[in-house]
Each structure stands twice: as structure tokens, then as C-alpha cells.
Coordinates of all heavy atoms in Angstrom, one line a residue:
M129 N -16.6 0.9 9.7 CA -15.4 0.6 9.0 C -14.3 0.1 10.0 O -14.0 0.9 10.9 CB -14.9 1.8 8.2 CG -13.6 1.6 7.5 SD -13.1 3.1 6.5 CE -14.5 3.7 5.8
P130 N -13.7 -1.1 9.8 CA -12.7 -1.5 10.7 C -11.4 -0.6 10.6 O -11.0 -0.2 9.5 CB -12.3 -2.9 10.3 CG -13.4 -3.3 9.4 CD -14.1 -2.1 8.8
K131 N -10.9 -0.2 11.7 CA -9.7 0.7 11.8 C -8.5 -0.2 12.2 O -8.7 -1.2 12.9 CB -9.9 1.8 12.7 CG -10.7 3.0 12.2 CD -10.2 3.6 11.0 CE -9.0 4.5 11.2 NZ -8.5 5.0 10.0
T132 N -7.4 0.3 11.8 CA -6.1 -0.3 12.3 C -5.5 0.7 13.2 O -6.1 1.8 13.4 CB -5.2 -0.6 11.1 OG1 -4.8 0.6 10.5 CG2 -5.8 -1.6 10.1
A133 N -4.3 0.5 13.7 CA -3.6 1.4 14.5 C -3.0 2.5 13.7 O -2.2 3.3 14.2 CB -2.5 0.7 15.3
Y134 N -3.3 2.6 12.4 CA -2.7 3.6 11.5 C -3.8 4.5 11.1 O -4.9 4.2 10.8 CB -2.1 2.9 10.3 CG -1.0 1.8 10.7 CD1 -1.4 0.6 11.0 CD2 0.3 2.2 10.8 CE1 -0.5 -0.4 11.4 CE2 1.3 1.3 11.2 CZ 0.9 0.0 11.5 OH 1.8 -0.9 11.9
R135 N -3.4 5.8 11.0 CA -4.4 6.9 10.6 C -5.0 6.7 9.3 O -6.1 6.9 9.1 CB -3.7 8.2 10.7 CG -4.6 9.4 10.4 CD -4.0 10.7 10.7 NE -4.5 11.9 10.4 CZ -5.7 12.2 9.9 NH1 -6.5 11.4 9.6 NH2 -6.0 13.5 9.6
Y136 N -4.2 6.3 8.3 CA -4.6 6.2 6.9 C -4.8 4.8 6.3 O -5.2 4.7 5.2 CB -3.6 6.9 6.0 CG -3.4 8.4 6.3 CD1 -2.2 8.8 6.8 CD2 -4.4 9.3 6.1 CE1 -1.9 10.1 7.1 CE2 -4.1 10.7 6.4 CZ -2.9 11.1 6.9 OH -2.7 12.4 7.2
I137 N -4.6 3.8 7.2 CA -4.7 2.4 6.7 C -5.9 1.8 7.3 O -6.1 1.9 8.5 CB -3.4 1.6 7.1 CG1 -2.1 2.4 6.6 CG2 -3.5 0.2 6.5 CD1 -2.0 2.5 5.1
T138 N -6.6 1.0 6.6 CA -7.8 0.3 7.1 C -7.9 -1.1 6.4 O -7.1 -1.3 5.4 CB -9.1 1.1 6.9 OG1 -10.1 0.5 7.7 CG2 -9.5 1.2 5.5
T139 N -8.8 -1.9 6.8 CA -9.2 -3.1 6.1 C -10.7 -3.2 6.0 O -11.4 -2.7 6.9 CB -8.7 -4.4 6.9 OG1 -9.2 -4.4 8.2 CG2 -7.2 -4.4 6.9
L140 N -11.2 -3.7 4.9 CA -12.6 -3.8 4.7 C -12.9 -5.2 4.1 O -12.3 -5.6 3.1 CB -13.1 -2.8 3.7 CG -13.0 -1.3 4.1 CD1 -13.3 -0.4 3.0 CD2 -13.9 -1.1 5.3
P141 N -13.7 -6.0 4.8 CA -14.1 -7.3 4.3 C -14.6 -7.1 2.8 O -15.4 -6.2 2.5 CB -15.2 -7.8 5.2 CG -15.0 -7.0 6.4 CD -14.5 -5.7 6.0
G142 N -14.1 -8.0 1.9 CA -14.5 -7.9 0.5 C -13.8 -6.9 -0.3 O -14.1 -6.9 -1.5
V143 N -13.0 -6.1 0.2 CA -12.3 -5.1 -0.6 C -10.8 -5.5 -0.6 O -10.2 -5.6 0.5 CB -12.4 -3.7 0.0 CG1 -11.6 -2.7 -0.8 CG2 -13.9 -3.2 0.0
R144 N -10.3 -5.8 -1.8 CA -8.9 -6.2 -2.0 C -8.6 -7.4 -1.1 O -7.5 -7.5 -0.5 CB -7.9 -5.1 -1.7 CG -8.1 -3.9 -2.6 CD -7.9 -4.2 -4.1 NE -6.7 -4.8 -4.5 CZ -5.5 -4.2 -4.8 NH1 -5.5 -2.8 -4.8 NH2 -4.5 -4.8 -5.1
G145 N -9.5 -8.3 -1.0 CA -9.3 -9.6 -0.2 C -9.2 -9.3 1.3 O -8.7 -10.2 2.0
G146 N -9.7 -8.2 1.8 CA -9.6 -7.9 3.2 C -8.2 -7.5 3.6 O -7.9 -7.3 4.8
N147 N -7.3 -7.3 2.6 CA -6.0 -6.8 3.0 C -5.9 -5.3 3.2 O -6.9 -4.6 2.9 CB -5.0 -7.1 1.8 CG -4.9 -8.6 1.6 OD1 -4.6 -9.4 2.5 ND2 -5.2 -9.1 0.4
A148 N -4.9 -4.8 3.9 CA -4.7 -3.4 4.2 C -4.7 -2.5 3.0 O -4.1 -2.8 2.0 CB -3.5 -3.2 5.0
I149 N -5.5 -1.5 3.1 CA -5.7 -0.5 2.0 C -5.5 0.9 2.6 O -5.6 1.1 3.8 CB -7.0 -0.6 1.2 CG1 -8.2 -0.4 2.2 CG2 -7.1 -1.9 0.5 CD1 -9.5 -0.3 1.5
I150 N -5.3 1.9 1.7 CA -5.3 3.3 2.1 C -6.8 3.6 2.2 O -7.6 3.5 1.3 CB -4.6 4.2 1.1 CG1 -3.1 3.8 1.0 CG2 -4.8 5.6 1.4 CD1 -2.3 4.5 -0.1
E151 N -7.1 4.1 3.4 CA -8.5 4.5 3.6 C -9.1 5.4 2.6 O -8.4 6.3 2.1 CB -8.6 5.2 5.0 CG -10.1 5.4 5.5 CD -10.1 5.8 6.9 OE1 -9.4 6.8 7.2 OE2 -10.9 5.2 7.7
G152 N -10.3 5.1 2.1 CA -11.0 5.9 1.1 C -10.6 5.6 -0.3 O -11.0 6.2 -1.3
T153 N -9.8 4.5 -0.5 CA -9.3 4.1 -1.8 C -9.4 2.6 -1.8 O -9.8 1.9 -0.9 CB -7.9 4.5 -2.1 OG1 -7.0 3.6 -1.3 CG2 -7.6 5.9 -1.7
R154 N -9.1 2.0 -3.0 CA -8.9 0.6 -3.1 C -7.4 0.3 -3.3 O -7.1 -0.8 -3.8 CB -9.8 0.1 -4.3 CG -11.3 0.2 -4.1 CD -12.1 -0.3 -5.2 NE -11.8 -1.7 -5.5 CZ -12.4 -2.7 -4.9 NH1 -13.3 -2.5 -3.9 NH2 -12.1 -4.0 -5.3
I155 N -6.6 1.2 -3.0 CA -5.1 1.0 -3.2 C -4.6 0.2 -2.0 O -4.7 0.7 -0.9 CB -4.4 2.4 -3.3 CG1 -4.9 3.1 -4.5 CG2 -2.9 2.2 -3.4 CD1 -4.5 4.6 -4.6
G156 N -4.0 -0.9 -2.3 CA -3.5 -1.8 -1.2 C -2.1 -1.3 -0.8 O -1.3 -0.7 -1.6
V157 N -1.8 -1.5 0.5 CA -0.5 -1.2 1.0 C 0.5 -1.9 0.1 O 1.6 -1.4 -0.2 CB -0.4 -1.6 2.5 CG1 1.1 -1.5 2.9 CG2 -1.3 -0.7 3.3
H158 N 0.2 -3.2 -0.2 CA 1.1 -4.0 -1.0 C 1.3 -3.4 -2.4 O 2.4 -3.5 -3.0 CB 0.7 -5.4 -1.1 CG -0.6 -5.7 -1.8 ND1 -1.8 -5.4 -1.2 CD2 -0.9 -6.1 -3.0 CE1 -2.8 -5.7 -2.1 NE2 -2.2 -6.1 -3.2
D159 N 0.3 -2.7 -3.0 CA 0.5 -2.0 -4.3 C 1.6 -0.9 -4.1 O 2.5 -0.8 -5.0 CB -0.8 -1.3 -4.7 CG -1.9 -2.3 -5.0 OD1 -1.7 -3.4 -5.5 OD2 -3.1 -1.9 -4.6
V160 N 1.5 -0.1 -3.1 CA 2.4 1.0 -2.9 C 3.8 0.4 -2.7 O 4.8 0.9 -3.3 CB 2.0 1.9 -1.7 CG1 3.1 2.9 -1.3 CG2 0.7 2.6 -2.0
I161 N 3.9 -0.6 -1.8 CA 5.2 -1.2 -1.5 C 5.8 -1.8 -2.7 O 7.0 -1.7 -3.0 CB 5.1 -2.2 -0.3 CG1 4.6 -1.5 0.9 CG2 6.4 -3.0 -0.1 CD1 5.5 -0.4 1.4
G162 N 5.0 -2.5 -3.5 CA 5.5 -3.1 -4.8 C 6.1 -2.0 -5.7 O 7.2 -2.3 -6.3
F163 N 5.4 -0.9 -5.9 CA 6.0 0.2 -6.7 C 7.3 0.7 -6.1 O 8.3 0.9 -6.9 CB 5.0 1.3 -6.8 CG 4.0 1.2 -7.9 CD1 2.8 0.7 -7.7 CD2 4.4 1.6 -9.2 CE1 1.9 0.6 -8.8 CE2 3.5 1.5 -10.3 CZ 2.2 1.0 -10.0
L164 N 7.4 0.9 -4.8 CA 8.6 1.3 -4.2 C 9.7 0.3 -4.4 O 10.9 0.7 -4.7 CB 8.4 1.6 -2.7 CG 7.5 2.9 -2.4 CD1 7.1 2.9 -1.0 CD2 8.2 4.1 -2.8
Q165 N 9.4 -0.9 -4.3 CA 10.5 -2.0 -4.5 C 10.9 -2.1 -5.9 O 12.0 -2.6 -6.2 CB 9.9 -3.3 -4.0 CG 9.8 -3.5 -2.5 CD 9.2 -4.8 -2.0 OE1 8.6 -5.5 -2.8 NE2 9.3 -5.1 -0.8
N166 N 10.1 -1.6 -6.8 CA 10.5 -1.6 -8.2 C 11.0 -0.3 -8.7 O 11.1 0.0 -9.9 CB 9.3 -2.0 -9.1 CG 9.1 -3.5 -9.0 OD1 10.0 -4.3 -9.4 ND2 8.0 -4.0 -8.4
G167 N 11.5 0.6 -7.8 CA 12.2 1.8 -8.2 C 11.5 3.1 -8.1 O 12.1 4.1 -8.4
E168 N 10.2 3.1 -7.8 CA 9.5 4.3 -7.7 C 9.9 5.1 -6.5 O 10.4 4.4 -5.5 CB 7.9 4.1 -7.7 CG 7.4 3.5 -9.0 CD 7.5 4.4 -10.2 OE1 7.6 5.7 -10.1 OE2 7.4 3.9 -11.3
T169 N 9.7 6.3 -6.4 CA 10.0 7.2 -5.2 C 8.6 7.6 -4.6 O 7.6 7.4 -5.2 CB 10.7 8.4 -5.6 OG1 9.9 9.2 -6.4 CG2 12.0 8.1 -6.3
V170 N 8.7 8.1 -3.4 CA 7.5 8.6 -2.7 C 6.9 9.7 -3.6 O 5.6 9.6 -3.8 CB 7.9 9.2 -1.3 CG1 6.7 9.9 -0.7 CG2 8.4 8.0 -0.4
D171 N 7.7 10.6 -4.2 CA 7.1 11.6 -5.0 C 6.4 11.0 -6.3 O 5.3 11.4 -6.6 CB 8.2 12.6 -5.5 CG 8.6 13.5 -4.3 OD1 7.8 13.8 -3.4 OD2 9.7 14.0 -4.4
S172 N 7.0 10.0 -6.9 CA 6.4 9.5 -8.1 C 5.2 8.6 -7.8 O 4.3 8.6 -8.6 CB 7.4 8.6 -8.9 OG 7.8 7.5 -8.2
I173 N 5.1 8.0 -6.6 CA 3.9 7.3 -6.2 C 2.7 8.2 -6.1 O 1.6 7.9 -6.5 CB 4.2 6.6 -4.8 CG1 5.2 5.5 -4.9 CG2 2.9 6.1 -4.3 CD1 4.8 4.3 -5.6
C174 N 3.0 9.5 -5.7 CA 1.9 10.4 -5.5 C 1.5 11.2 -6.8 O 0.6 12.0 -6.8 CB 2.2 11.5 -4.5 SG 2.5 10.7 -2.8
S175 N 2.3 10.9 -7.9 CA 2.1 11.6 -9.1 C 0.9 11.0 -9.9 O 0.5 9.9 -9.7 CB 3.4 11.5 -10.0 OG 3.5 10.2 -10.5
P176 N 0.4 11.7 -11.0 CA -0.6 11.2 -11.8 C -0.2 9.9 -12.5 O -1.1 9.1 -12.9 CB -0.8 12.3 -12.8 CG -0.4 13.6 -12.2 CD 0.8 13.1 -11.3
R177 N 1.0 9.7 -12.6 CA 1.5 8.4 -13.3 C 1.2 7.2 -12.5 O 1.0 6.1 -13.1 CB 3.0 8.6 -13.6 CG 3.6 7.5 -14.4 CD 5.0 7.9 -14.9 NE 5.9 8.1 -13.8 CZ 6.7 7.1 -13.3 NH1 6.6 5.9 -13.8 NH2 7.5 7.4 -12.3
C178 N 1.2 7.3 -11.2 CA 1.0 6.1 -10.3 C -0.3 6.2 -9.6 O -1.3 5.6 -10.1 CB 2.1 6.0 -9.3 SG 3.7 5.5 -10.0
F179 N -0.4 6.9 -8.5 CA -1.6 7.0 -7.7 C -2.0 8.4 -7.4 O -1.7 8.9 -6.3 CB -1.5 6.2 -6.4 CG -1.2 4.8 -6.6 CD1 -0.1 4.2 -6.1 CD2 -2.2 3.9 -7.2 CE1 0.2 2.8 -6.2 CE2 -2.0 2.6 -7.3 CZ -0.8 2.0 -6.9
P180 N -2.5 9.2 -8.4 CA -2.9 10.6 -8.1 C -3.9 10.6 -7.0 O -4.8 9.7 -6.9 CB -3.5 11.0 -9.4 CG -3.9 9.8 -10.1 CD -3.0 8.7 -9.7
G181 N -3.8 11.6 -6.2 CA -4.8 11.8 -5.1 C -4.3 11.2 -3.7 O -4.9 11.5 -2.7
I182 N -3.3 10.4 -3.7 CA -2.8 10.0 -2.4 C -1.6 10.9 -2.0 O -1.0 11.5 -2.8 CB -2.4 8.5 -2.3 CG1 -1.1 8.2 -3.1 CG2 -3.5 7.6 -2.7 CD1 -0.6 6.8 -2.8
T183 N -1.5 11.0 -0.7 CA -0.5 12.0 -0.2 C 0.8 11.3 0.2 O 0.8 10.1 0.4 CB -1.1 12.7 1.0 OG1 -1.2 11.7 2.1 CG2 -2.4 13.4 0.7
K184 N 1.8 12.1 0.4 CA 3.1 11.5 0.9 C 2.9 10.9 2.3 O 3.5 9.9 2.6 CB 4.2 12.6 1.0 CG 4.7 13.1 -0.4 CD 5.7 14.1 -0.2 CE 6.2 14.7 -1.6 NZ 7.2 15.7 -1.4
A185 N 2.1 11.5 3.1 CA 1.8 11.0 4.4 C 1.2 9.5 4.3 O 1.6 8.7 5.1 CB 0.8 11.9 5.2
Q186 N 0.3 9.3 3.3 CA -0.3 8.0 3.1 C 0.8 7.0 2.7 O 0.8 5.9 3.1 CB -1.4 8.1 2.1 CG -2.6 8.8 2.7 CD -3.7 9.1 1.7 OE1 -3.3 9.6 0.6 NE2 -4.9 8.9 2.0
V187 N 1.7 7.4 1.8 CA 2.8 6.6 1.3 C 3.7 6.2 2.5 O 4.0 5.0 2.7 CB 3.6 7.2 0.2 CG1 4.8 6.3 -0.2 CG2 2.7 7.4 -1.0
Y188 N 4.1 7.2 3.3 CA 4.9 6.9 4.5 C 4.2 6.0 5.5 O 4.8 5.2 6.1 CB 5.4 8.2 5.1 CG 6.5 8.9 4.3 CD1 6.3 10.2 3.8 CD2 7.7 8.3 4.1 CE1 7.2 10.8 3.1 CE2 8.7 8.9 3.4 CZ 8.5 10.2 2.9 OH 9.4 10.8 2.1
E189 N 2.9 6.1 5.6 CA 2.2 5.2 6.5 C 2.2 3.8 5.9 O 2.2 2.9 6.7 CB 0.8 5.7 6.8 CG 0.2 4.9 7.9 CD -0.7 5.7 8.8 OE1 -0.2 6.5 9.6 OE2 -1.9 5.6 8.6
C190 N 2.1 3.7 4.6 CA 2.2 2.4 4.0 C 3.6 1.7 4.4 O 3.7 0.5 4.7 CB 2.1 2.4 2.5 SG 0.4 2.7 1.9
L191 N 4.6 2.5 4.3 CA 5.9 2.1 4.7 C 6.0 1.6 6.2 O 6.6 0.6 6.5 CB 7.0 3.1 4.4 CG 7.4 3.3 3.0 CD1 8.1 4.6 2.8 CD2 8.2 2.1 2.5
A192 N 5.3 2.4 7.0 CA 5.3 2.1 8.5 C 4.5 0.8 8.7 O 5.0 -0.1 9.4 CB 4.6 3.2 9.3
Y193 N 3.4 0.6 8.0 CA 2.6 -0.6 8.0 C 3.5 -1.8 7.6 O 3.5 -2.9 8.2 CB 1.3 -0.5 7.2 CG 0.4 -1.7 7.4 CD1 -0.6 -1.7 8.4 CD2 0.6 -2.8 6.6 CE1 -1.4 -2.8 8.5 CE2 -0.3 -3.9 6.7 CZ -1.2 -3.9 7.7 OH -2.1 -5.0 7.9
Y194 N 4.2 -1.6 6.5 CA 5.1 -2.6 5.9 C 6.1 -3.1 7.0 O 6.4 -4.2 7.1 CB 5.7 -2.1 4.7 CG 6.7 -3.1 4.1 CD1 6.3 -4.4 3.7 CD2 8.0 -2.7 3.9 CE1 7.3 -5.2 3.1 CE2 9.0 -3.6 3.3 CZ 8.6 -4.8 2.9 OH 9.5 -5.7 2.4
E195 N 6.7 -2.1 7.6 CA 7.7 -2.5 8.6 C 7.1 -3.3 9.8 O 7.8 -4.2 10.3 CB 8.4 -1.2 9.2 CG 9.3 -0.5 8.3 CD 10.5 -1.5 7.9 OE1 11.1 -2.1 8.7 OE2 10.8 -1.5 6.7
D196 N 5.9 -3.1 10.1 CA 5.2 -3.9 11.1 C 4.6 -5.2 10.7 O 4.3 -6.0 11.5 CB 4.1 -3.0 11.8 CG 4.7 -1.9 12.6 OD1 5.9 -1.9 13.0 OD2 3.9 -0.9 12.9
H197 N 4.4 -5.3 9.3 CA 3.8 -6.5 8.8 C 4.5 -7.0 7.5 O 3.9 -7.4 6.5 CB 2.3 -6.1 8.4 CG 1.5 -5.6 9.5 ND1 1.4 -4.3 9.9 CD2 0.7 -6.3 10.4 CE1 0.7 -4.2 10.9 NE2 0.2 -5.3 11.2
R198 N 5.8 -7.0 7.6 CA 6.7 -7.3 6.5 C 6.3 -8.7 5.8 O 6.2 -8.8 4.6 CB 8.1 -7.3 6.9 CG 9.1 -7.4 5.7 CD 10.5 -7.2 6.2 NE 10.8 -5.9 6.6 CZ 11.4 -5.0 5.7 NH1 11.7 -5.3 4.5 NH2 11.7 -3.8 6.1
G199 N 6.2 -9.7 6.6 CA 5.9 -11.0 6.0 C 4.6 -11.1 5.2 O 4.6 -11.6 4.1
E200 N 3.6 -10.5 5.8 CA 2.3 -10.4 5.1 C 2.3 -9.7 3.8 O 1.9 -10.1 2.7 CB 1.3 -9.7 6.0 CG 0.0 -9.2 5.4 CD -0.8 -8.2 6.3 OE1 -0.5 -8.2 7.5 OE2 -1.6 -7.5 5.8
I201 N 3.0 -8.5 3.8 CA 3.1 -7.7 2.6 C 4.0 -8.3 1.6 O 3.7 -8.2 0.4 CB 3.5 -6.2 3.0 CG1 2.5 -5.6 3.9 CG2 3.7 -5.4 1.7 CD1 1.1 -5.5 3.4
D202 N 5.1 -8.9 2.0 CA 6.0 -9.5 1.0 C 5.3 -10.6 0.3 O 5.5 -10.8 -0.9 CB 7.2 -10.1 1.8 CG 8.2 -9.0 2.2 OD1 8.2 -7.9 1.6 OD2 9.1 -9.3 3.0
V203 N 4.4 -11.4 0.9 CA 3.7 -12.5 0.2 C 2.7 -11.8 -0.8 O 2.7 -12.3 -2.0 CB 2.9 -13.3 1.2 CG1 1.9 -14.2 0.5 CG2 3.9 -14.2 2.1
L204 N 2.0 -10.8 -0.4 CA 1.1 -10.1 -1.4 C 1.8 -9.5 -2.6 O 1.4 -9.6 -3.7 CB 0.3 -9.1 -0.6 CG -0.7 -9.6 0.4 CD1 -1.2 -8.4 1.3 CD2 -1.8 -10.4 -0.2
V205 N 3.0 -8.9 -2.3 CA 3.8 -8.3 -3.4 C 4.2 -9.4 -4.3 O 4.2 -9.3 -5.6 CB 4.9 -7.5 -2.9 CG1 5.9 -7.1 -4.0 CG2 4.4 -6.2 -2.2
A206 N 4.7 -10.5 -3.8 CA 5.2 -11.6 -4.6 C 4.1 -12.2 -5.4 O 4.3 -12.5 -6.6 CB 5.8 -12.7 -3.7
R207 N 2.9 -12.4 -4.9 CA 1.8 -12.9 -5.7 C 1.4 -11.9 -6.8 O 1.1 -12.4 -7.9 CB 0.6 -13.1 -4.7 CG 0.6 -14.2 -3.9 CD -0.7 -14.4 -3.1 NE -0.5 -15.4 -2.0 CZ -1.2 -15.4 -1.0 NH1 -2.2 -14.5 -0.7 NH2 -1.1 -16.4 -0.1
Q208 N 1.4 -10.7 -6.5 CA 1.1 -9.7 -7.5 C 2.1 -9.7 -8.6 O 1.7 -9.6 -9.8 CB 1.0 -8.3 -6.8 CG 0.5 -7.2 -7.7 CD 0.1 -6.0 -6.8 OE1 -0.8 -6.0 -6.1 NE2 0.9 -4.9 -7.0
M209 N 3.4 -9.8 -8.3 CA 4.4 -9.8 -9.3 C 4.3 -11.1 -10.2 O 4.5 -11.1 -11.4 CB 5.8 -9.7 -8.7 CG 6.0 -8.4 -8.0 SD 5.7 -7.0 -9.0 CE 7.3 -6.3 -9.0
A210 N 4.0 -12.2 -9.5 CA 3.9 -13.5 -10.2 C 2.7 -13.4 -11.2 O 2.9 -13.9 -12.4 CB 3.7 -14.6 -9.2
S211 N 1.6 -12.8 -10.8 CA 0.5 -12.8 -11.7 C 0.7 -11.8 -12.8 O 0.2 -11.9 -13.9 CB -0.8 -12.4 -10.9 OG -0.8 -11.1 -10.4
A212 N 1.5 -10.7 -12.6 CA 1.8 -9.8 -13.6 C 2.8 -10.4 -14.7 O 2.7 -10.0 -15.8 CB 2.5 -8.5 -13.0
N213 N 3.6 -11.3 -14.2 CA 4.5 -12.0 -15.1 C 4.0 -13.2 -15.8 O 4.7 -13.9 -16.6 CB 5.9 -12.3 -14.4 CG 6.6 -11.1 -14.0 OD1 6.6 -10.1 -14.7 ND2 7.3 -11.1 -12.9
A214 N 2.8 -13.6 -15.4 CA 2.2 -14.9 -16.0 C 1.6 -14.6 -17.3 O 1.3 -13.6 -17.8 CB 1.1 -15.4 -15.0

């Protein structure tokens, strides 16, 4: 499994387009960031309403990854929002 410099973030060819995901899930970093940009909190992201089973540490690591890869994640979030509004 390809690793990144992040403990909880990885990429897998063929999974979510090879984009960064939370290890052991199919949840994309861009999924988490999109929810946060739309008003969710770290606590609500970890709740059964959003992504049960992920930890606050994983959410914070998504934020760290976002800070280091802002352009890449912003494009993915924008695509996701556009397809949701189509």
C-alpha cells in the first residue's frame, strides 16, 4: 500500500481515482474538507451523521494534508460540489 508522509493518509491506485484517502477507508481527504467548508465541525465529521468510525486525529490530519496540497484538494472539492448541484 503506498504511503504518504502522513500517518493516516494514503493513496491507492483505483480507489477514489488515486486521490488521498483516510487509510482503511474510502473516505477522501476532499470529502472531509468539503464537509468542513460547508459548516461541519471536527466533532460532527466524526459523528454517525457524517463519517462514523473516523477519529478526530484523522480529521486533523486531513486538514494538515489540505494545508500542504490546497490546490489539489480545492479542485476535487469544487468538482464534487458541481456534480452534487448538477
Side-chain angles (χ1 to χ4, degrees):
M129 174 180 322
K131 283 299 287 176
T132 65
Y134 302 87
R135 179 171 173 11
Y136 301 111
I137 307 296
T138 193
T139 58
L140 295 171
V143 176
R144 300 300 303 271
N147 296 306
I149 59 172
I150 297 173
E151 189 172 52
T153 74
R154 294 180 58 84
I155 300 168
V157 170
H158 65 284
D159 297 323
V160 173
I161 298 304
F163 271 97
L164 290 168
Q165 288 176 344
N166 283 297
E168 296 295 339
T169 65
V170 171
D171 287 331
S172 67
I173 293 287
C174 298
S175 74
R177 189 168 60 91
C178 288
F179 298 118
I182 69 169
T183 66
K184 288 180 184 180
Q186 290 168 314
V187 174
Y188 285 117
E189 190 144 284
C190 287
L191 283 164
Y193 186 92
Y194 176 59
E195 285 302 313
D196 291 340
H197 301 89
R198 188 175 288 265
E200 164 196 339
I201 300 301
D202 284 344
V203 168
L204 294 170
V205 170
R207 285 183 190 157
Q208 190 165 290
M209 295 307 238
S211 67
N213 294 325

